[in-house]
């Protein structure tokens, strides 16, 4: 089964873009691709509603280069796999591109690796999406938990394993009369009656 893939190709030679599309087909994709070769057209594609699933970019373009294209993508806060495909890229440029966030790079005379490279980049993007969703769910859960604690009439205290007070709920102030920051970082045993302290130690 082929995977439909929206592809934006930054390339000034139409024939090279067609070769990339053919390699994607050979790799099991059904590419719905568009070629641009100017910064203005590239930015217009990024700013429209229907974004590509992957971006394939030559390093040298008529009025800008692949690294600038990558920065323009990142400035918009878009997480779209970006792969450099060039006939002239050197190792130093390739390494710099990866450091700056490119998903991969390959040479035009080794396009057979394009399908697997795109597949891997999409998988890494899926994992990032899952991690962001899990982190967002955790933040929402923490907000709900904090709201329950802070609106409870019961005093709730969080302690470390050594008995250090890490958190007092607002109700603790109402019950004990201590300001919220008076007890944080101190041992809970300091606030116990001496008889209770001895019983707890036993």
């Amino acid at each position: 089964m082929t995977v439909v893939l929206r592809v934006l190709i930054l390339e000034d030679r139409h024939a090279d873009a067609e070769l990339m599309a053919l390699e994607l087909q050979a790799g099991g994709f059904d590419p719905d691709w568009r070629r641009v070769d100017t910064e203005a057209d590239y930015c217009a594609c990024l700013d429209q509603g229907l974004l590509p699933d992957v971006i394939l970019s030559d390093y040298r373009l008529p009025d800008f280069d692949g690294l600038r294209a990558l920065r323009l993508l990142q400035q918009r806060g878009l997480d779209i796999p970006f792969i450099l495909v060039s006939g002239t890229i050197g190792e130093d440029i390739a390494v710099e591109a990866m450091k700056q966030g490119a998903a991969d790079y390959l040479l035009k005379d080794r396009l057979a690796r394009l399908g697997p490279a795109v597949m891997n980049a999409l998988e890494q993007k899926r994992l990032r999406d899952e991690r962001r969703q899990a982190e967002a769910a955790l933040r929402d859960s923490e907000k709900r938990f904090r709201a329950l604690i802070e609106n409870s009439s019961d005093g709730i205290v969080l302690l470390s394993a050594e008995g250090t007070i890490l958190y007092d709920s607002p109700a603790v102030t109402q019950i004990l009369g201590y300001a919220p920051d008076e007890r944080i970082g101190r041992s809970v045993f300091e606030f116990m009656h001496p008889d209770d302290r001895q019983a707890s130690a036993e």
Side-chain angles (χ1 to χ4, degrees), residues 83-86 104-108 110-111 113-114 117:
I83 298 176
L84 278 176
V85 183
S86 178
D104 207 340
Y105 70 92
L106 32 72
L107 299 175
K108 288 183 178 179
R110 298 179 185 175
L111 280 182
R113 199 170 69 82
L114 182 58

Side-chain angles (χ1 to χ4, degrees), residues 10 14-15 24 31 45 50 58 62 70 81 103 122-123 154 166 186 197:
L10 280 73
H14 187 79
L24 288 173
C45 289
L50 189 61
D58 195 355
L70 177 58
L122 293 174
E123 175 63 13
D154 295 326
L166 304 175
R186 296 169 65 182
R197 192 183 308 157

Side-chain angles (χ1 to χ4, degrees), residues 41-161:
D41 287 344
Y42 173 64
C43 290
C45 289
L46 296 182
D47 294 335
Q48 67 184 15
L50 189 61
L51 292 168
D53 298 310
V54 66
I55 297 172
L56 307 179
S57 174
D58 195 355
Y59 177 68
R60 288 189 173 84
L61 294 156
D63 66 347
F64 71 135
D65 62 36
L67 292 183
R68 173 155 176 76
L70 177 58
R71 287 193 296 272
L72 290 168
L73 176 70
Q74 294 169 337
Q75 287 170 6
R76 286 163 169 76
L78 299 173
D79 184 6
I80 300 172
F82 186 98
I83 298 176
L84 278 176
V85 183
S86 178
T88 57
I89 190 170
E91 185 176 348
D92 55 338
I93 296 174
V95 170
E96 182 61 26
M98 298 293 284
K99 284 181 180 178
Q100 291 190 25
D104 207 340
Y105 70 92
L106 32 72
L107 299 175
K108 288 183 178 179
D109 60 358
R110 298 179 185 175
L111 280 182
R113 199 170 69 82
L114 182 58
V118 168
M119 189 69 75
N120 180 64
L122 293 174
E123 175 63 13
Q124 294 303 313
K125 168 70 162 52
R126 184 187 67 79
L127 293 174
R128 289 194 300 274
D129 288 344
E130 287 184 354
R131 184 170 61 250
R132 281 192 288 263
Q133 290 169 5
E135 290 170 351
L138 179 61
R139 286 193 298 271
D140 289 344
S141 177
E142 289 174 344
K143 285 180 183 177
R144 287 193 297 271
F145 179 66
R146 182 172 290 275
L148 287 172
I149 287 178
E150 293 185 348
N151 291 295
S152 173
S153 59
D154 295 326
I156 300 171
V157 181
L158 298 181
L159 304 174
S160 71

Side-chain angles (χ1 to χ4, degrees), residues 33-44:
W33 61 280
R34 176 179 178 182
R35 182 184 70 88
V36 297
D37 61 7
T38 67
E39 183 172 332
D41 287 344
Y42 173 64
C43 290

